[in-house]
Each structure stands twice: as C-alpha cells, then as structure tokens.
Amino acid sequence: MASLFSSPLPSTLLPTLSTKPHLSLKHPATFLLSPLIRRQYSLFLARSSDANGAGVAAAVEDKVEEKVEKESGEGLGSNGAAAAAAAVVIEEPPKFKDPRWVGGTWDLKQFEKDGKTEWDAVIDAEARRRKWLEDNPEASSENEPIIFDTSIIPWWAWMKRYHLPEAELLNGRAAMIGFFMAYFVDSLTGAGLVDQMGNFFCKTLLFIAVVGVLVIRKNEDIETVKKLIEETTFYDKQWQATWKDDTPSGER
Amino acid sequence: MASISSGAGAAALRRDFLGSALESSRPKNVIPLHRSIIRASKSSPKLPNRRLRVAVIGGGPAGGAAAETLAKGCIETVLIERKLDNCKPCGGAIPLCMVGEFGLPLDIIDRRVTKMKMISPSNVAVDIGRTLKPNEYIGMVRREVLDAYLRDRATASGAEVINGLFLQLDTPQRPNEQYKIHYTHYDGSTLGGQKKTMEVDAVIGADGANSRVAKSIGAGDYEYAIAFQERVKIPDDKMEYYQERAEMYVGDDVSPDFYGWVFPKCDHVAVGTGTVTHKSQIKQFQAATRLRAKDKIEGGKIIRVEAHPIPEHPRPRRVLDRVALVGDAAGYVTKCSGEGIYFAAKSGRMCAEAIVEGSENGARLIDESDLRKYLAKFDKMYWPTYKVLDILQKVFYRSNPAREAFVEMCADEYVQKMTFDSYLYKTVVPGSPLEDLKLAINTIGSLVRANALKREMAKLTL
C-alpha cells in the first residue's frame, strides 16, 4: 500500500518530491531514507485535505521520526482501513522535533566541530525550525517554553555569512560603474581622474552613484523606496486632513 | 514596544505637525485678524434667557465623559444612547492614568494585568512586566460596567440621558440657528419607539465607528480593521494562568497586520484577532489564534462571538460648524496596540471643555473655532503617541522576521520600562540618550538577523 499512496499522488501534486534528495545530501545525519519520506508525503496530503483552516501547506520537513514510524506500523493493515485510519488519526500537524533542540533552545554543544561551535549550522537549524513553524503553526506551550534568542550567535558569524558576500557584490558594482564613468567623463571633457575629483559636479555624481548602488540592489527596490517615502508621511497627512478646508475626499 | 523618539524628537514632531496645521486653518464663521491665530468667538451672540443646549450622541466612554463635563460646566446636556446595557465587543484594557484622571472607582476594574506574554511566529515567548512597580497595572474592565458608570456620573452632574436612536441631523439654514436632531425614542410605550425631534445648539458625535453623525456632516471615511473576538469560558485551573496575565500572539498565521490576543475578563477569557487588509479571512486567523493558544484554553466553551470595526486613522473632517466628533467616531484609535477607550474618554472631555470655555459656561453661542481649539489641543497632546505607535506598527508588523525581531526586543528591560511608562501614563517619555542609542543598535541588529534567517528560510523547500 506504500505504492498505492506514493506513486500516483506525489507525481501529480507534489513536484517538489524531486528536490528531496538535494536536502538529504546537505544533512545526511538527520534525514530518513526515501521510502519512509514518500509515505509521509501521502499522509500529509490526507491531512491537508481535511481543511484544517490554519492554511497548512504540505510540509516537507520530516523531523518527526517517531510519528512516521507509528504510521508505517498502521500501514501494515488492509488498504482501505489504513487510508481511513490514517486520515482520521492525524488530526493535528506533527510537532517540530530535532535532537539538537533541547529545552526550548538549541543545544550549542551538539553543534561543535573541532572543539568550536559551528555557527553556520546553528543558523541553518534555526531557519529550518522557523520555516517548519511557519508552515505548521503550533500551540505555544507553557511546559516547553521557547527561549532561543538569535543574539547568542555572534555578530561576526552573521557578518561572514550575509554581509560579506553582499558587500563584495556591491563593491564590485561600484568599481565597475566608477571605472566606466571615469573613462566616459574623461573622453567627453578631457579631465583626468585627478581633475575630476577636484570638480564639485563630479563629486556629486560620485556620491549619487555610491548611494544608488547601496540603496538599489534589485529592480524592485526602486518601487520599494518610492513606497517607503510615501508611507513615512501618509499617517501625518491623514491626521492633518481635518485642518485643510477642502471637501473631504473618500477613503484616503 | 520601544519609545523611539526622545524629548527633542517629540518636540520636533509637534512643531512640524502643528506649525503647518495652525497656519492653514481658517474657520468659516470668524474673520481672523491674524492668519495664524484662532480668535475666541467674542463676536458670537449672547444667548437670551437660556443656556447653551448640547446633544451628545452615543453613550460610550466618549459620550459619558463629554456629557459629564458639559453638565458640570452649566450647559444643558442631553445624551442619546440607543442601548443602555450594551455589552460591547472590546478588549477592555484601560491605562493606569485613566483611573486617576477620570476618578474611576477601583471596583470597576475586574482584573489588574501585570504580566504580558508576547509570542512570536516561531513561538518564542517573552514575558514583559518585570519593570512594573507594585501599584502599576493595566486595568481590564467590562464595557457595560464602565459605560454605565460614566453615564450615571453624567446624570448626577445634571445631564439628561435618553434611550434613543439618532436618525439624522438637520443643519440650520441661517447662521446662529439651532440644529434639529431626529431620533427614535425608546420609552417603552410604543413598539419600535417614537420618532421625535429636538433642537440643540451644538452636537457632539460620540456614536462610535459607524457614526451617523459623521455621515451627516460628511466627515469622510477611514480605513478600518475588523476585530473578531470569542469569549471563552475555560476551566478554573487554566484560568489561574490568566489571573494577571494577558497574551499577544504575532505571526502571519494569526494576522497579517495586527495581532491575536488572549485577554482575561471577569470570569472568562477573550480570544481574538483583527486585520485591515485581509478581512475576508478573519475566521481563519481566529482559528489560527485558537490553535496557538490551544494548550491554555483547551476544554473551554465559547460563550459569545463578536466582531467590530476599529478605525485606523482619524476621519478627514472631525469638526464642521457646531458639530464635533470624538472617540471612535473621530477615529482616535492608536495603531500597533489598537487602544481607544482612553482616547475616546479624553477627547470627549476635551471637546466638552472647549465648548464650556467658548460659551463662557453656557452663556454664549459657540462656533467652529471653539471646536477647533479642542482639535488643536488633542492633536498637540497625543500626536507623538500616535506617531510613535504608527512607526512601531510600520516597522514591526511588516512581516514575520520583523515580528520575531519585535519579540526579541521586548525581552530587553529598557524597552519594557519605556513601553509601560508611555502606555500607562500616555506621555512619550524621553529616555537616556545612551540607552536609546543602544536600543537603536539592538533593534537594527535584531531586524537584520531575523531578515537574514528569512532569506535562509526562503532557500529551503520552495
């Protein structure tokens, strides 16, 4: 009956099944073997069709080793009964479980490699936990309070991973723009680099170029910046509306 | 909730905001000698042989406070309320300063909340309230009790309370004539009430978010949130947990632009959520809120389901001639926390005070400039509070990473102290600049970390 569930459904409804091997390559220690994964997919489908009302998407994480083993035991019954039982038994989404998540926070000792904590792995683990909870919201429990604070991960770990690659990208862009603009202005006006730097207009252009590279990193950023500027003054305008004598417009 | 603006910043906000406001105001009836000064209406006629007559439409906190102040100021006051035992859908939280300013008896307050729990989208839970002094608390009241108390005080001061439904307002044809109010009087004798009219000199519209007075003066619309709430009676042992504790849940599942809450009431809890942008999905958000609080409200029975609109910002026009709006009708609900009871009562009182002053205790007729004085005073006093809460909402309710950062910041003691000081006493307190700087750096750090994690999350399982 594993084949009954797994073969028709995942191929049509879950194209992401093919991405599973990629994830398991990344973290072989925690992921289960494929047959159990497929069974879990079908069970998730049965559950999500119950329309929980909490908008549960088909979860991909299979941290719930115990739950899956329980379902595989039930699947040994007859086909029809197993299908009905599986759909009824799983009323709530599986909870987030990870051997390194202890007492409501990450156990840093389990992330050690060569005697030093591997912060990248902590960041990855926390991202997976948040993704899991975003897809399957859980009840907040008093017995297992979550006390993890991202500030325990040192600032240089964040910088190395996120700031430095971005900085490299932006510096590269700035350098390319700078080089070609300097050449272009030189060819037009005959002013070399040293002469350009003495000119106020050129310095202004340089400033605009630097700010532009910093602020506009994706195409969408232009719209985002415009919207932000409008947003900062919108509330003020709503409050001042009563002080303007023109007839009130409809919803602003 | 961090107090971002220091004293200098708040003063700058006030200057910028009111500087332009005062210059552009030109009330209709009075010819100002200077363009930027609103003259008191000494040119208004003295009323012959009678006192000023004012109708207050709506008997909630705004109406009750306004009616009491008017009556105390020797003005003939009539308060029209359509449902005297109205059990309003409301969080019911009042700040400490309201108890003092309005002289509320302590037995009106069902519960004193001294602990709040903020719960992030990934269920990181932070307790705030460590910095509260023993005499500080957030009062939880039943609206029917509070509203009735304020109305009774108004009656005791000399106001007349009428059980009726306001229908429409006839504006006077000539200046200095009276307004005619059409209303249905529920006097118990006729089924469906009796249609009556009344002539008054001025009207205060305190009739809430769906204000008819606002419609009759063409005040314009506002964006509003829908707040949906279920009152749940939970077993006593679970109720122990909520003895002095309120909870706030944030997350995209609970609300895309607001928060879900569990507030303790007299003998049950109110579980609810709200939204501006996704009103059609409110039931899903409510289910998600119930799911998040499941362990703590399991076994509870839903005894009441209620919903109500909450204004997001003031109406474009709050005053016209001798009609003024106060409270929810004007749109005085803060962003971020959605607090309205205190501002309703305060605005009602301020408007009434402006009328009392402008009419010299009921001797003269007032005009729009007197009512604009109330607007100027209210805007000047509370604009920093509203703006700071707006900034907080824009920064921290944007997205899940922002909410995670928000909850992380709430763990900081300085933040808790600033938040409670500004909430309980309704002043934006300037903290120490060094702590403010540390706070700013920590906030940026939290936001950056949370957004970095979000980018990691996006790479996973698309």
Side-chain angles (χ1 to χ4, degrees):
Chain A
M1 71 305 324
S3 53
L4 181 77
F5 282 121
S6 55
S7 41
L9 300 173
S11 57
T12 49
L13 296 181
L14 285 175
T16 55
L17 179 59
S18 57
T19 66
K20 235 343 174 156
H22 158 70
L23 284 169
S24 48
L25 278 173
K26 225 166 133 192
H27 302 275
T30 52
F31 273 63
L32 299 174
L33 305 172
S34 321
L36 281 175
I37 296 171
R38 263 191 237 128
R39 183 164 296 130
Q40 191 183 331
Y41 261 107
S42 54
L43 293 171
F44 278 126
L45 271 179
R47 179 177 42 75
S48 56
S49 69
D50 287 344
N52 251 344
V56 173
V60 184
E61 299 302 327
D62 58 345
K63 300 261 180 225
V64 212
E65 290 95 352
E66 300 89 7
K67 193 93 181 180
V68 172
E69 271 153 30
K70 174 169 161 246
E71 307 313 2
S72 62
E74 282 190 325
L76 289 172
S78 70
N79 289 356
V88 160
V89 158
I90 312 162
E91 274 167 9
E92 34 179 272
K95 285 187 171 278
F96 173 75
K97 277 191 175 55
D98 186 305
R100 297 167 299 177
W101 178 256
V102 174
T105 186
W106 293 106
D107 184 7
L108 293 178
K109 282 198 274 299
Q110 296 191 41
F111 285 93
E112 270 181 31
K113 199 163 134 175
D114 308 327
K116 277 196 299 202
T117 344
E118 199 187 348
W119 295 113
D120 274 349
V122 181
I123 293 177
D124 283 331
E126 177 63 12
R128 270 209 306 286
R129 183 186 77 89
R130 289 194 181 183
K131 179 75 182 168
W132 173 270
L133 284 175
E134 203 175 77
D135 293 337
N136 315 298
E138 261 175 42
S140 156
S141 159
E142 270 302 281
N143 302 327
E144 309 150 11
I146 296 183
I147 52 173
F148 177 68
D149 188 335
T150 55
S151 55
I152 62 168
I153 302 172
W155 63 273
W156 51 263
W158 296 100
M159 239 180 97
K160 241 174 61 178
R161 183 154 171 174
Y162 296 106
H163 178 76
L164 293 184
E166 184 98 15
E168 192 183 332
L169 188 73
L170 296 183
N171 276 316
R173 286 183 187 166
M176 286 188 271
I177 293 175
F179 176 77
F180 281 107
M181 285 310 292
Y183 183 87
F184 189 57
V185 172
D186 192 348
S187 66
L188 281 182
T189 62
L193 196 55
V194 178
D195 295 326
Q196 282 180 40
M197 282 298 97
N199 182 308
F200 176 71
F201 180 62
C202 289
K203 281 195 274 208
T204 314
L205 281 182
L206 176 68
F207 179 72
I208 293 172
V210 169
V211 168
V213 164
L214 281 175
V215 165
I216 300 173
R217 302 183 189 190
K218 305 192 290 290
N219 283 340
E220 298 82 33
D221 282 347
I222 305 174
E223 279 308 309
T224 313
V225 169
K226 277 203 267 185
K227 265 202 283 178
L228 275 177
I229 295 177
E230 207 223 291
E231 242 186 54
T232 45
T233 52
F234 189 51
Y235 196 54
D236 310 43
K237 290 202 202 98
Q238 287 170 333
W239 271 78
Q240 287 182 17
T242 201
W243 296 100
K244 303 207 182 324
D245 265 348
D246 43 319
T247 47
S249 44
E251 243 190 87
R252 256 228 85 193
Chain B
M1 299 181 211
S3 151
I4 290 182
S5 51
S6 63
L13 279 172
R14 261 180 252 138
R15 243 197 337 270
D16 287 338
F17 172 60
L18 278 176
S20 56
L22 282 175
E23 273 160 24
S24 62
S25 77
R26 264 189 292 287
K28 294 191 175 108
N29 296 334
V30 175
I31 301 165
L33 296 181
H34 306 279
R35 283 191 68 205
S36 57
I37 297 177
I38 303 170
R39 284 251 163 228
S41 50
K42 294 290 187 265
S43 55
S44 289
K46 225 169 137 62
L47 290 164
N49 306 329
R50 65 179 181 91
R51 288 178 301 159
L52 190 74
R53 202 162 133 89
V54 176
V56 178
I57 314 294
E68 183 192 355
T69 309
L70 286 173
K72 283 203 180 126
C74 307
I75 292 183
E76 200 183 328
T77 316
V78 175
L79 189 149
I80 301 181
E81 164 60 43
R82 68 172 174 95
K83 195 167 188 290
L84 290 169
D85 56 352
N86 202 355
C87 181
K88 299 237 182 103
C90 179
I94 59 171
L96 193 60
C97 56
M98 185 164 176
V99 179
E101 282 178 37
F102 290 84
L104 299 178
L106 293 177
D107 57 359
I108 265 191
I109 295 173
D110 289 332
R111 278 185 193 276
R112 301 179 188 196
V113 166
T114 52
K115 295 187 270 245
M116 265 197 74
K117 207 176 199 80
M118 320 277 299
I119 298 169
S120 82
S122 64
N123 280 340
V124 177
V126 164
D127 279 307
I128 65 177
R130 287 198 302 271
T131 55
L132 282 178
K133 299 197 213 36
N135 64 326
E136 292 180 335
Y137 55 88
I138 303 172
M140 306 299 291
V141 301
R142 265 169 293 170
R143 281 294 301 280
E144 56 272 26
V145 173
L146 175 72
D147 297 356
Y149 173 75
L150 290 173
R151 279 197 301 267
D152 289 341
R153 271 221 319 233
T155 311
S157 304
E160 186 193 348
V161 174
I162 294 181
N163 185 0
L165 175 66
F166 171 81
L167 296 171
Q168 73 180 63
L169 186 68
D170 288 342
T171 40
Q173 307 292 72
R174 286 188 293 272
N176 298 341
E177 268 195 356
Q178 291 192 308
Y179 285 87
K180 187 184 260 189
I181 294 182
H182 298 258
Y183 67 101
T184 307
H185 187 194
Y186 300 134
D187 55 4
S189 55
T190 336
L191 189 67
Q194 249 191 330
K195 279 206 166 46
K196 287 193 183 159
T197 64
M198 187 193 297
E199 306 240 318
V200 294
D201 298 305
V203 179
I204 295 184
D207 44 347
N210 299 316
S211 169
R212 277 194 190 174
V213 177
K215 245 196 283 281
S216 55
I217 65 167
D221 280 323
Y222 43 40
E223 274 155 29
Y224 62 95
I226 279 283
F228 187 93
Q229 181 170 266
E230 286 167 346
R231 301 202 188 206
V232 181
K233 184 122 179 68
I234 55 180
D236 287 334
D237 53 328
K238 295 215 150 85
M239 198 65 206
E240 261 307 301
Y241 172 76
Y242 288 111
Q243 189 67 15
E244 286 187 337
R245 188 184 273 116
E247 286 183 329
M248 242 176 81
Y249 293 89
V250 287
D252 270 334
D253 54 330
V254 161
S255 168
D257 50 3
F258 206 60
Y259 61 88
W261 63 83
V262 179
F263 288 161
K265 297 219 174 271
C266 48
D267 60 352
H268 56 276
V269 292
V271 180
T273 180
T275 175
V276 180
T277 48
H278 291 72
K279 295 189 181 78
S280 51
Q281 295 167 20
I282 189 74
K283 294 263 175 70
Q284 277 165 268
F285 296 142
Q286 178 68 10
T289 313
R290 268 196 306 232
L291 170 69
R292 294 256 239 133
K294 194 161 75 99
D295 284 359
K296 300 171 214 157
I297 60 172
E298 201 145 26
K301 223 176 0 166
I302 297 177
I303 54 180
R304 200 185 154 98
V305 177
E306 46 200 17
H308 202 66
I310 298 182
E312 283 287 293
H313 62 87
R315 291 187 196 263
R317 178 183 280 177
R318 291 178 262 158
V319 154
L320 182 64
D321 287 330
R322 286 170 272 137
V323 180
L325 298 174
V326 294
D328 272 14
Y332 293 142
V333 178
T334 62
K335 293 226 165 159
C336 194
S337 58
E339 195 199 339
I341 302 182
Y342 173 74
F343 296 105
K346 203 67 201 283
S347 62
R349 176 178 278 190
M350 278 187 178
C351 184
E353 280 169 356
I355 292 179
V356 167
E357 205 183 298
S359 69
E360 289 172 15
N361 283 43
R364 287 185 182 279
L365 191 65
I366 57 163
D367 63 21
E368 189 172 312
S369 61
D370 300 303
L371 296 174
R372 282 198 177 263
K373 275 200 223 159
Y374 128 69
L375 284 186
K377 189 168 167 206
F378 186 82
D379 285 0
K380 180 169 171 193
M381 192 176 272
Y382 295 115
W383 168 243
T385 306
Y386 280 94
K387 185 62 183 173
V388 166
L389 286 169
D390 177 53
I391 293 174
L392 288 177
Q393 162 138 341
K394 286 204 175 82
V395 171
F396 289 118
Y397 284 12
R398 279 199 112 78
S399 57
N400 267 354
R403 295 181 191 113
E404 295 277 356
F406 179 50
V407 174
E408 236 176 60
M409 290 314 303
C410 284
D412 181 51
E413 269 209 24
Y414 181 68
V415 170
Q416 291 187 24
K417 182 170 159 307
M418 295 270 93
T419 306
F420 275 113
D421 277 352
S422 41
Y423 174 82
L424 291 175
Y425 303 109
K426 288 293 170 276
T427 50
V428 177
V429 270
S432 81
L434 187 64
E435 294 281 339
D436 277 340
L437 187 65
K438 260 177 39 191
L439 175 64
I441 294 176
N442 284 335
T443 309
I444 294 173
S446 276
L447 283 168
V448 164
R449 288 195 296 264
N451 278 298
L453 276 170
K454 179 72 184 181
R455 269 185 283 168
E456 277 307 314
M457 284 160 66
K459 289 189 215 155
L460 295 170
T461 68
L462 280 170

